[in-house]
Amino acid sequence: MGRRFADLHIRCDFGPGYEGLRELVKRARCLGFSLLAVPLRPGVAREELSRLKAMAEEEGIDLATRVDLAPRSREELLSALRRLRRRFELIGVLCSNKAVARVAARDRRVDLLSFPLELRKRFFDEAEAELASGSSCALELDMMPLMGLRSPERVRLLGRLREEVALAREKGVPIIISSGATEPILMRKPRELAYLASELLDLSLEEALDALSRRPAEMVERNRAKLRPDFIAPGIRLVRRGTDCP
Amino acid sequence: MPVRRSRRRYLAIYIEGAKPGGAKELEELIFSSLLRLFGEVGASKASFRVVEYDAGEGVAVVRCGHKHAGLVRAALAAITDVGGRPAALHVLDVSGTLRALRKRLPSRLADLNAYERRPS
């Protein structure tokens, strides 16, 4: 069976009622994706989430609900996680300072760690990788925003990203490759994204393909299992309710 | 002893959005992306050429060395505009021979969804 590709970070503006999402979902299908996640507003109603998922399913795409957090402090992050963890299948945290980065890497409720493009704000160092490897969060790398950077800045950032990839590999932190597209035309076919990541970030092609298929699928599947009403703890689920239990 | 010709890869690509006016312009576009990402050494390893280009349809066939096809595919994915207007280059098919690629190209073009061929 072939790979099921995923793009977990499409950052287009879909309008207040997510009117543009259907076109984007169709486009993603054409490009060869089968799992998609777009950051939604934290306050979006549960009915709206169900409607969006059903709409994507009509087009043959599995839509994972995702929220992106950009907290300024540890307290802000923890409060948002308490409010939102049970509502969304994926939680991404943009770590803009070291305190937030450390808490996010340690917290099992965080799925995806991402960092700003500015070099001095990339806190994925050895300590961060160590913390992330102990929890279940992954390092998310958006490919298309890199293409918008000017040469000296991009050269330095690519060097830094290669170091982060090597660290993540060494510490066993999963890497997720996303497009990070802000416009539909910036979306690329999964294999093209894989080649881009493989050539620019020193990933093997197999690793890059996994970062676009197996890793995101496993993450979404694990979180969906956790959100089911019968989930108690990892490896423990409620099989049957009854009054005759000893 | 005769030197065996290096193996090649032929890539069929579809250009979405703004299209280059001709094959030379397309070649320069891809070459500058290769140069920007991989430098002169990388660009020379790719041994890249535009074989044919239909500007009306926005479909092209490009040739490159088989060991470095990844460089060309990465360079194609990195192109986001043509002369400042948004564009995307998608690989439709890859083949080791031009004949096989030409044979498969009509069915690949037919597979292209109406949305992809006529983006809104």
Side-chain angles (χ1 to χ4, degrees):
Chain A
M1 207 176 108
R3 288 175 184 269
R4 289 181 71 238
F5 289 106
D7 189 346
L8 296 188
H9 207 198
I10 296 176
R11 303 183 299 149
C12 303
D13 180 17
F14 302 107
Y18 298 104
E19 299 85 4
L21 188 58
R22 185 180 286 270
E23 278 305 298
L24 187 113
V25 163
K26 281 184 191 171
R27 184 181 171 81
R29 185 79 206 141
C30 286
L31 292 176
F33 291 100
S34 42
L35 172 63
L36 214 62
V38 293
L40 302 165
R41 284 182 293 278
V44 65
R46 278 183 198 274
E47 299 73 43
E48 182 77 341
L49 292 178
S50 309
R51 184 186 69 82
L52 295 175
K53 280 173 93 69
M55 179 275 291
E57 208 174 306
E58 276 170 31
E59 302 296 341
I61 286 276
D62 181 3
L63 183 75
T65 57
R66 169 179 176 148
V67 68
D68 275 0
L69 306 174
R72 281 163 296 177
S73 66
R74 173 186 179 276
E75 291 72 27
E76 209 176 297
L77 170 64
L78 293 174
S79 147
L81 287 173
R82 269 193 297 274
R83 274 186 294 117
L84 301 169
R85 181 64 273 189
R86 299 291 304 171
R87 297 190 57 211
F88 292 91
E89 288 161 349
L90 293 170
I91 293 191
V93 177
L94 178 68
C95 307
S96 49
N97 64 58
K98 202 174 220 173
V100 166
R102 295 295 190 250
V103 176
R106 204 168 39 213
D107 201 309
R108 286 182 169 269
R109 293 171 294 181
V110 175
D111 300 309
L112 298 151
L113 290 174
S114 59
F115 297 89
L117 295 179
E118 298 103 286
L119 271 184
R120 60 188 179 83
K121 287 190 176 175
R122 298 201 70 91
F123 304 106
F124 194 82
D125 51 17
E126 200 159 344
E128 182 83 357
E130 194 76 58
L131 289 171
S133 71
S135 65
S136 55
C137 59
L139 173 67
E140 183 174 51
L141 301 171
D142 287 348
M143 294 311 296
M144 295 318 286
L146 294 174
M147 300 305 122
L149 295 177
R150 296 230 172 244
S151 197
E153 200 184 347
R154 183 165 63 192
V155 169
R156 280 192 281 269
L157 184 60
L158 284 174
R160 174 72 200 160
L161 290 176
R162 278 195 289 272
E163 286 173 23
E164 290 180 8
V165 164
L167 255 177
R169 193 189 282 131
E170 188 191 318
K171 302 286 179 188
V173 179
I175 296 168
I176 304 273
I177 303 288
S178 304
S179 70
T182 48
E183 298 288 336
I185 202 158
L186 288 176
M187 289 172 72
R188 294 290 180 272
K189 288 186 172 185
R191 282 189 186 274
E192 308 315 309
L193 278 179
Y195 276 107
L196 197 57
S198 156
E199 296 293 344
L200 299 185
L201 306 179
D202 283 352
L203 285 164
S204 69
L205 186 59
E206 200 60 26
E207 283 177 314
L209 289 168
D210 279 350
L212 276 151
S213 56
R214 194 165 64 84
R215 301 285 190 194
E218 281 171 0
M219 178 178 284
V220 170
E221 195 44 55
R222 186 186 65 220
N223 287 358
R224 283 181 177 160
K226 282 184 187 173
L227 290 175
R228 282 187 204 118
D230 61 1
F231 176 83
I232 295 169
I236 308 169
R237 67 185 176 88
L238 183 71
V239 179
R240 183 164 54 93
R241 281 180 199 278
T243 52
D244 56 344
C245 299
Chain B
M1 207 170 113
V3 178
R4 193 176 167 180
R5 195 183 76 177
S6 57
R7 287 167 69 191
R8 291 168 177 172
R9 281 284 175 271
Y10 294 90
L11 280 70
I13 57 177
Y14 170 64
I15 302 160
E16 182 189 1
K19 292 172 180 52
K24 200 170 167 54
E25 203 183 321
L26 174 65
E27 195 162 291
E28 276 169 19
L29 179 76
I30 301 172
F31 192 73
S32 67
S33 177
L34 265 172
L35 210 56
R36 206 170 53 231
L37 290 180
F38 307 111
E40 292 185 351
V41 176
S44 69
K45 279 180 186 165
S47 336
F48 144 84
R49 291 271 181 288
V50 172
V51 176
E52 54 194 44
Y53 174 49
D54 179 345
E57 284 284 300
V59 177
V61 174
V62 301
R63 186 187 83 189
C64 59
H66 103 108
K67 279 187 185 164
H68 300 286
L71 295 182
V72 176
R73 293 183 77 158
L76 293 173
I79 295 169
T80 55
D81 70 287
V82 174
R85 290 170 299 148
L89 277 69
H90 303 290
V91 175
L92 290 178
D93 201 356
V94 184
S95 176
T97 65
L98 194 53
R99 184 191 289 180
L101 188 72
R102 282 187 177 138
K103 205 170 159 184
R104 290 201 300 256
L105 194 54
S107 71
R108 293 284 182 256
L109 287 172
D111 288 348
L112 257 184
N113 186 289
Y115 176 84
E116 199 176 326
R117 299 213 67 189
R118 282 179 277 278
S120 53

